[in-house]
């Protein structure tokens, strides 16, 4: 990212006196820790904290009381393990594939297994077995139409939400759209205005919009 790292460890030079009652607290223990290098500082204060936040968010959002969604995520992961689809096919991985097909109402589980075998035999040396990497590889080699079931499930797996940032941005946009002058807007109109505000990057064909509006009913003004 072309960001220059500081030459010294941040906050290591200045020390503040901690009150006696906070001496053995978790916060003070973290702040009093001495780091030997910049790598150690960013690994402890940034990298590990980031991984811990992601892990807690996944646990909170996906591991419900019956562990159903957490099990679905594990079933998705079996698709990205190359050794599962070598001959003989791993039985546990095949059972996970059956659960996925049942959950998403896909009846061709044998066809999906064949697609996975074809994919891994065609690309035996993958740099990283992740859903995003596999999807990019499929698009680069134009094999989406050959592996439709695999493409559908990998797309679902790659777009699983981890945080609520998108939802929070939508609520922030709602504060800008619903002003005092629009306080009496109907729910449908407010939803349409919010959709236009959130998805403003999507190009709109004006001619198509006019045609749809024209076909809605007779108007006094000709379009």
């Amino acid at each position: 990212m072309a960001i220059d790292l500081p030459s010294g460890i941040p906050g290591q030079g200045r020390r503040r006196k901690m009150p006696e009652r906070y001496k053995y607290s978790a916060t003070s223990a973290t702040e009093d820790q001495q780091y030997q290098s910049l790598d150690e500082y960013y690994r402890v204060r940034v990298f590990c904290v980031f991984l811990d936040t992601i892990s807690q968010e996944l646990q909170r959002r996906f591991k419900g009381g019956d562990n159903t969604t957490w099990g679905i995520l594990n079933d998705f992961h079996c698709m990205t393990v190359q050794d599962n689809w070598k001959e003989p096919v791993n039985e546990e991985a095949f059972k996970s594939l059956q659960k996925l097909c049942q959950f998403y109402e896909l009846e061709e589980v044998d066809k999906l297994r064949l697609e996975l075998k074809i994919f891994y035999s065609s690309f035996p040396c993958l740099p990283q077995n992740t859903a995003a990497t596999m999807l990019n590889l499929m698009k680069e080699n134009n094999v989406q139409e050959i592996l439709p079931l695999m493409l559908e499930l990998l797309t679902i797996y790659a777009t699983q939400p981890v945080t609520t940032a998108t939802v929070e941005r939508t609520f922030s946009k709602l504060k800008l759209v619903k002003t005092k002058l629009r306080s009496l807007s109907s729910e449908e109109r407010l939803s349409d205005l919010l959709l236009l505000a959130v998805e403003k990057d999507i190009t709109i064909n004006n001619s198509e919009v006019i045609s749809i509006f024209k076909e809605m009913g007779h108007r006094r003004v000709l379009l």
Side-chain angles (χ1 to χ4, degrees):
M1 301 297 292
I3 300 175
D4 295 330
L5 292 177
S7 57
I9 301 175
Q12 196 81 341
R14 56 183 186 276
R15 309 286 295 168
R16 63 177 182 175
K17 187 176 180 181
M18 185 67 62
E20 189 66 25
R21 62 181 180 274
Y22 298 139
K23 184 175 181 181
Y24 299 103
S25 66
T27 304
S28 64
T30 304
E31 293 180 352
D32 289 344
Q33 182 176 353
Q34 296 289 324
Y35 301 99
Q36 302 300 323
S37 64
L38 275 174
D39 290 342
E40 182 183 358
Y41 171 83
Y42 284 107
R43 182 172 63 251
V44 175
R45 298 299 295 272
V46 179
F47 180 70
C48 292
V49 174
F50 175 77
L51 290 183
D52 186 56
T53 302
I54 293 295
S55 176
Q56 291 181 11
E57 191 68 21
L58 283 169
Q59 292 280 346
R60 183 182 68 83
R61 289 181 59 81
F62 295 118
K63 197 167 185 178
D66 56 355
N67 290 342
T68 301
T69 312
W70 191 254
I72 291 296
L73 290 176
N74 288 330
D75 295 336
F76 271 120
H77 177 68
C78 291
M79 294 179 57
T80 63
V81 180
Q82 185 171 1
D83 293 337
N84 289 339
W85 310 108
K86 295 179 179 179
E87 291 294 345
V89 175
N90 189 308
E91 290 297 328
E92 293 296 327
F94 183 66
K95 291 180 180 178
S96 298
L97 212 62
Q98 289 177 321
K99 293 178 184 177
L100 282 177
C101 291
Q102 183 179 2
F103 186 80
Y104 289 103
E105 299 180 354
L106 301 175
E107 299 179 356
E108 301 175 329
V109 60
D110 292 326
K111 182 179 179 181
L112 178 58
R113 178 178 63 175
L114 181 60
E115 288 182 6
L116 286 166
K117 292 173 63 176
I118 293 174
F119 176 82
Y120 284 116
S121 61
S122 302
F123 308 103
C125 301
L126 289 177
Q128 248 183 340
N129 282 12
T130 63
T133 304
M134 295 168 70
L135 283 171
N136 290 334
L137 194 60
M138 292 170 66
K139 292 179 181 179
E140 290 173 359
N141 293 273
N142 296 320
V143 295
Q144 304 97 310
E145 297 181 359
I146 304 175
L147 312 172
L149 296 176
M150 186 176 169
L151 175 66
E152 182 178 353
L153 289 179
L154 285 177
T155 303
I156 296 173
Y157 186 33
T159 54
Q160 291 286 354
V162 176
T163 67
T164 58
T166 304
V167 180
E168 291 170 359
R169 284 197 295 267
T170 303
F171 279 110
S172 299
K173 186 67 71 173
L174 180 61
K175 296 179 181 178
L176 301 176
V177 172
K178 190 176 181 181
T179 60
K180 292 182 179 180
L181 298 177
R182 291 176 177 154
S183 59
L184 299 179
S185 296
S186 64
E187 182 178 350
E188 183 179 358
R189 177 178 173 79
L190 189 62
S191 176
D192 294 340
L193 291 174
L194 186 61
L195 180 63
L196 289 174
V198 173
E199 305 294 347
K200 62 182 180 180
D201 294 335
I202 299 178
T203 56
I204 299 176
N205 189 337
N206 295 328
S207 300
E208 184 178 353
V209 174
I210 293 174
S211 299
I212 295 174
F213 187 72
K214 180 180 178 181
E215 294 172 358
M216 291 175 62
H218 296 289
R219 305 290 173 183
R220 294 182 180 179
V221 180
L222 297 178
L223 298 178

